[in-house]
């Protein structure tokens, strides 16, 4: 055991217990202060992240805005207060054969949360990201393992949180940042008895390894890992017949934006052979040749892209329809690529179902709708599925819609999967292997639910109850009182 | 693989998909019909369960009533409909730099749920119990493994559910009952790829074994295991000084009711040496000698009780304060027992922390409040903790209350842990090892949340949306629309 980590955990545990006594307003002011620090340091953050990730300043500026929005939205959630799901079942002393006690319940924080950020969102899903924000909002302490692919951005981010913590009088050690290139520090963090939950965004291999460690602990703890997804897109024939060219343009943009390094990148297109699909493919392929190669996040991700791309395109039946024809202007630059394969090959070869993280998409060509249905039935769990279809096609193919619904966290109609709205209604995460736990998501206010558990009070005197459960509802929150929602 | 189980799972999977298309009213009518069947067959059920479990007819009649109440309460939950947590974030096509899509989210069922019932509640937490009811209410298919300790009660229960299913037009195989004495059929059920969640009530060993199997599957699935708990009771000195005798009488009743075979049985009493505790112990010990031994649920549970009781009472420092002095009148009858030990021994001997399932309680005697605090700090996760204290003592010992809060699912003030209300505000289940997942509970309406996951629809045409998410809210349920709760 790293003595430094041991110390971090002990201090975080003390801080967690103190933080529990803070009011929702105090916690909200901490979250707002973090947002302020981010805004004040935005230039330095963007500069640092640009150097470490090759992401464009424009994209980073957008991500930073989203990050600030996330902190604000959790702060507002705390101020409003109803998220604790207060339930009150009042007593009935006359009930026979035994009196009915007064029982009250609300959500309370789990303890220390370990956060492993994403390489592809150095702000919104790394140290300053949704996992940290939702865990602190939930009332938990947080220990982040700085991402080795952007260590300085992560360190700068941590400094901002610590500054805000000091400024708003938070207990020392409530948030901590640990560093280490290897696997060891992460393993120690997940196995530490004081760690009560884990947030992770990254690869299936990494997420599953953490999940296995966590579930084999003497006291198992939940791991919320957002992992890979190929985000299948169903291209219905009539839709393509009507607007194949426009659909191709939207997907050209979606597949290659950010060099395809989004977890919602559409990596699998499924269409039915025919005139509409021909138009779509031609337009998409033409466009792909004109998208310039650009640097990926880092050398590891580039090598992974090239490796996976080579594996997939060298499988039996796979054709390369288009590759960028523009020259590379530097190292670790990915070549945007469109490949295609007939459904029979896809159905019999699991290697074609894997994610190729980057500006790559595989088109599966089906002979008819029946074969398309078969392909869909062979898909695993996904963060998102998309269907491009006319109203007629949606009405006539409810089974396809139902099947896509069953395997996905988010089902998109006539749009692209990239671009994840941050809000109550968003579900980011889906059935395994998209996530380790499809019952929760990492984006939006409901992400807070990952780090809490319900706790009941029976016949507790009013003066000892948390404000959320007191008789006169001093916080004015929504509560379920004797089976009725009231405020 | 058991070919029979394979067939059961395939049929259940088809049934699940059909059940999804049923209205909430149809599902509710199924649940009501099950309640009706239970009421119509109550005599036969009670008779059968009495023979198989040695539980008294009076207690079984009470449990049956509770079971019917559970089915009714889930049926009403479906009729009301707001439990799906509908969230709607409406579109903003004018937003820059990109238009905001329309996103809607609600809870949807996971799939087939495997249920392993409890031996000690042959109705309320077995085949007809809360796991089956909440899973069917959630929209899941259910496969119950009949409990080997009351196989005929379980079979009769299954027949009632099947009868109700036929009567209300449910798809064939939506509910199934499988039998088998050994471990094998349960293992196959948990490992089957179509199983998507597991409900279990029983021992720590059994629950952990299922959890380990489920988390090591290629696709891990959640296991909701309610396991052991010693349900510590903190006896504050002033409280005992004031009413030690009355407290003793309440606990005599709580420790020995149902021969102590409740998961909320108070197996650990923690007091401070002094006059009040002396009065309490004397009264409790006297009472214990006059409680007649009675038959336990079955031979295995009796042997387990005798074994564990012997282990605990033979540890260094443990004294037997009282045993029933009344004669045994039959076989497998447990002897109600009170033992005590000084805190120093308790602190250094983990064997004293284990559950002795039956009419047994261990009193830990502390020298002062500081030592009591230390004992509390050494406790593991519990279904419930109880504090018996005056108002003064509660005010002066907030740290004790906080610590009990942190380790328990339910915290009881001046009461007994036995008697679990069924309602929204109840949390039955606590931090490990009380449950495998403290974030959920098996009792009350919120138990339905174990078997669902949120799913989002993006830009879905209104005609394709589930009724819960349609624009005009045809079901009149509570929904979060653009961050505001409305009906």
């Amino acid at each position: 055991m790293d003595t430094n980590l041991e110390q971090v955990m002990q201090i975080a545990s003390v801080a967690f217990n103190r933080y529990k006594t803070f009011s929702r307003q105090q916690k909200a002011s901490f979250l707002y202060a973090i947002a302020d620090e981010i805004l004040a340091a935005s230039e330095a953050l963007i500069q640092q992240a640009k150097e470490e990730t090759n992401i464009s300043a424009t994209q980073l500026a957008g991500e930073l805005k989203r990050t600030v929005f996330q902190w604000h939205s959790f702060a507002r959630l705390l101020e409003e207060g109803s998220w604790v799901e207060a339930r009150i079942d009042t007593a009935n002393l006359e009930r026979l054969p035994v009196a009915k006690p007064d029982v009250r319940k609300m959500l309370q924080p789990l303890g220390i949360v370990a956060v492993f950020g994403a390489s592809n969102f150095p702000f919104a899903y790394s140290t300053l990201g949704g996992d940290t924000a939702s865990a602190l909002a939930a009332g938990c302490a947080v220990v982040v393992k700085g991402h080795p692919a952007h260590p300085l951005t992560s360190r700068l981010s941590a400094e901002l949180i610590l500054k805000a913590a000091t400024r708003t009088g938070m207990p020392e050690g409530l948030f901590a940042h640990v560093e280490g290139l290897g696997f060891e520090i992460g393993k120690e963090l997940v196995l530490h008895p004081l760690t009560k939950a884990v947030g992770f965004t990254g690869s299936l291999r990494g997420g599953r390894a953490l999940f296995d460690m966590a579930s084999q602990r003497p006291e198992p703890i939940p791991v919320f890992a957002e992992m890979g997804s190929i985000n299948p897109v169903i291209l219905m024939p009539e839709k393509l017949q009507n607007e194949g060219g426009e659909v191709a343009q939207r997907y050209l943009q979606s597949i290659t934006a950010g060099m395809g390094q989004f977890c919602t990148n559409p990596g699998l297109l499924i269409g039915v052979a025919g005139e509409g699909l021909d138009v779509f493919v031609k337009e998409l392929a033409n466009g792909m040749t004109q998208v310039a190669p650009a640097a990926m996040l880092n050398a590891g991700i580039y090598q992974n892209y090239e490796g996976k791309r080579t594996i997939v395109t060298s499988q039996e039946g796979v054709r390369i329809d288009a590759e960028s024809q523009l020259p590379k202007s530097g190292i670790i630059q990915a070549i945007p690529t469109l490949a295609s394969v007939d459904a029979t090959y896809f159905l019999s070869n699991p290697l074609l179902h894997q994610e190729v993280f980057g500006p790559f998409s595989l088109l599966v060509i089906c002979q008819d709708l029946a074969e398309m249905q078969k392909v869909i039935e062979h898909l695993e769990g996904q963060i998102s599925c998309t269907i491009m279809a006319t109203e007629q096609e949606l009405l006539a193919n409810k089974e396809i819609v139902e099947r896509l619904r069953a395997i996905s966290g988010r089902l998109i109609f006539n749009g692209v999967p990239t671009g994840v709205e941050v809000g109550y209604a968003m579900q980011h995460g889906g059935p395994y292997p998209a996530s380790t736990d499809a019952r929760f998501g990492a984006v939006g206010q409901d992400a807070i639910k990952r780090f809490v558990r319900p706790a009941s009070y029976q016949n507790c005197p009013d003066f000892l109850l948390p404000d959320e459960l007191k008789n006169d509802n001093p916080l004015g929150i929504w509560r379920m009182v004797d089976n009725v929602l009231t405020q």
Side-chain angles (χ1 to χ4, degrees), chain A:
Chain A
M1 171 58 65
D2 187 315
T3 53
N4 185 37
L5 181 66
E6 182 57 34
Q7 207 180 347
V8 164
M9 298 303 287
Q10 293 298 338
I11 297 173
S13 176
V14 173
F16 167 64
N17 285 321
R18 270 203 63 210
Y19 191 47
K20 272 200 266 187
T21 67
F22 283 33
S23 72
R24 60 179 184 168
Q25 197 53 63
Q26 284 174 296
K27 290 176 188 160
S29 72
F30 175 36
L31 272 49
Y32 281 126
I34 293 170
D36 291 345
E37 295 293 343
I38 296 171
L39 284 170
S42 55
E43 231 171 285
L45 279 167
I46 291 171
Q47 185 55 39
Q48 188 60 66
K50 189 162 173 276
E51 276 171 30
E52 288 183 316
T53 66
N54 298 318
I55 301 174
S56 74
T58 317
Q59 189 182 321
L60 285 168
E63 190 188 328
L64 198 89
K65 218 174 126 185
R66 175 200 183 108
T67 307
V68 168
F69 176 78
Q70 288 178 166
W71 286 100
H72 283 168
S73 83
F74 282 112
R76 281 194 299 266
L77 190 73
L78 294 192
E79 288 179 320
E80 196 282 326
S82 304
W83 70 275
V84 299
E85 296 180 5
R87 278 108 162 74
I88 299 178
D89 294 338
T90 58
N92 176 0
L93 301 178
E94 268 86 57
R95 193 186 62 175
L96 292 174
V98 288
K100 180 169 178 273
D102 179 287
V103 186
R104 299 173 188 229
K105 183 172 78 173
M106 64 178 279
L107 299 174
Q108 66 162 36
L110 291 182
I112 302 173
V113 174
V115 172
F116 296 79
S119 63
N120 58 340
F121 281 95
F123 305 142
Y125 292 94
S126 186
T127 305
L128 288 170
D131 284 346
T132 305
S134 58
L136 287 173
C140 292
V142 171
V143 179
V144 169
K145 181 185 170 298
H147 202 291
H150 50 260
L152 299 179
T153 307
S154 188
R155 198 181 291 174
L156 175 54
S157 301
E159 281 162 14
L160 299 175
I161 296 177
L162 292 171
K163 224 160 126 184
T166 307
R167 189 148 65 76
T168 53
M170 292 298 126
E172 199 200 323
L174 179 66
F175 170 86
H177 184 250
V178 297
E179 299 179 19
L181 272 174
F183 188 61
E184 214 42 48
I185 181 98
K187 186 176 161 184
E188 281 180 22
L189 185 51
V190 171
L191 294 181
H192 197 285
L194 287 171
T195 301
K196 296 299 176 192
V198 178
F200 169 89
T201 313
S203 69
L204 174 58
R205 217 179 60 175
R208 181 70 197 232
L210 293 183
F211 175 85
D212 287 342
M213 271 191 266
S215 55
Q216 285 158 31
R217 288 168 41 128
E219 177 195 351
I221 55 172
V223 171
F224 305 99
E226 301 294 329
M227 308 181 293
S229 189
I230 48 175
N231 303 294
V233 179
I234 307 304
L235 304 160
M236 298 297 285
E238 198 179 85
K239 179 74 175 180
L240 292 193
Q241 202 121 27
N242 296 352
E243 13 174 336
E246 293 91 318
V247 174
Q249 284 305 325
R250 288 183 80 174
Y251 272 85
L252 175 63
Q253 159 68 19
S254 178
I255 294 165
T256 59
M259 276 294 106
Q261 297 167 112
F262 299 124
C263 33
T264 53
N265 192 60
L268 191 73
L269 310 171
I270 304 167
V272 176
E275 207 184 307
L277 192 65
D278 290 345
V279 172
F280 170 83
V281 174
K282 200 175 158 199
E283 184 93 7
L284 182 56
N286 275 343
M288 198 71 90
T289 62
Q290 299 308 309
V291 178
M296 296 193 81
L297 290 162
N298 56 58
I301 284 181
Y302 168 73
Q303 280 148 16
N304 183 55
Y305 175 68
E306 280 302 327
K308 290 257 175 80
R309 190 176 78 114
T310 307
I311 290 173
V312 168
T313 54
S314 61
Q315 296 303 303
E316 199 189 347
V318 177
R319 303 169 293 270
I320 294 184
D321 290 329
E323 286 184 318
S324 168
Q325 296 303 309
L326 303 182
K328 288 194 181 192
S329 61
I331 56 161
I332 67 164
Q333 293 193 335
I335 301 171
T337 304
L338 175 69
S340 63
V341 67
D342 288 342
T344 44
Y345 292 102
F346 181 81
L347 285 168
S348 62
N349 188 349
L351 281 177
L352 298 178
H353 297 224
Q354 68 180 321
E355 185 180 16
V356 180
F357 189 75
F360 175 90
S361 202
L362 177 67
L363 170 68
V364 177
I365 302 174
C366 307
Q367 284 319 299
D368 48 32
L369 285 175
E371 193 173 41
M372 181 183 245
Q373 176 94 35
K374 213 160 141 194
V375 168
I376 294 171
E377 264 152 34
H378 273 73
L379 296 174
E380 296 174 291
Q382 306 288 341
I383 294 177
S384 79
C385 287
T386 303
I387 182 162
M388 305 299 289
T390 63
E391 202 172 301
Q392 243 56 35
E393 285 175 319
L394 289 175
L395 280 168
N397 295 281
K398 287 201 174 157
E399 277 150 44
I400 287 182
V401 175
E402 256 321 301
R403 175 65 192 166
L404 295 173
R405 174 69 295 168
I407 61 168
S408 64
R410 179 170 51 121
L411 179 54
I412 300 141
F413 295 79
N414 293 314
V416 293
T418 44
V420 177
E421 279 301 312
V422 179
Y424 267 111
M426 179 52 64
Q427 171 62 6
H428 186 67
Y432 193 87
S435 316
T436 45
D437 193 341
R439 294 171 305 139
F440 296 90
V443 175
Q445 288 92 330
D446 282 339
I448 198 172
K449 293 196 182 173
R450 299 175 297 170
F451 304 123
V452 289
R453 66 177 176 92
S456 296
Y457 296 79
Q458 184 166 321
N459 288 341
C460 181
D462 204 60
F463 66 85
L464 261 189
L465 282 168
D467 285 348
E468 287 85 349
L469 297 177
K470 282 196 203 308
N471 278 331
D472 58 357
N473 194 13
L475 305 183
I477 61 173
W478 284 99
R479 314 194 293 185
M480 182 80 80
V481 180
D482 291 331
N483 301 341
V484 177
L485 204 57
T486 86
Q487 194 171 23

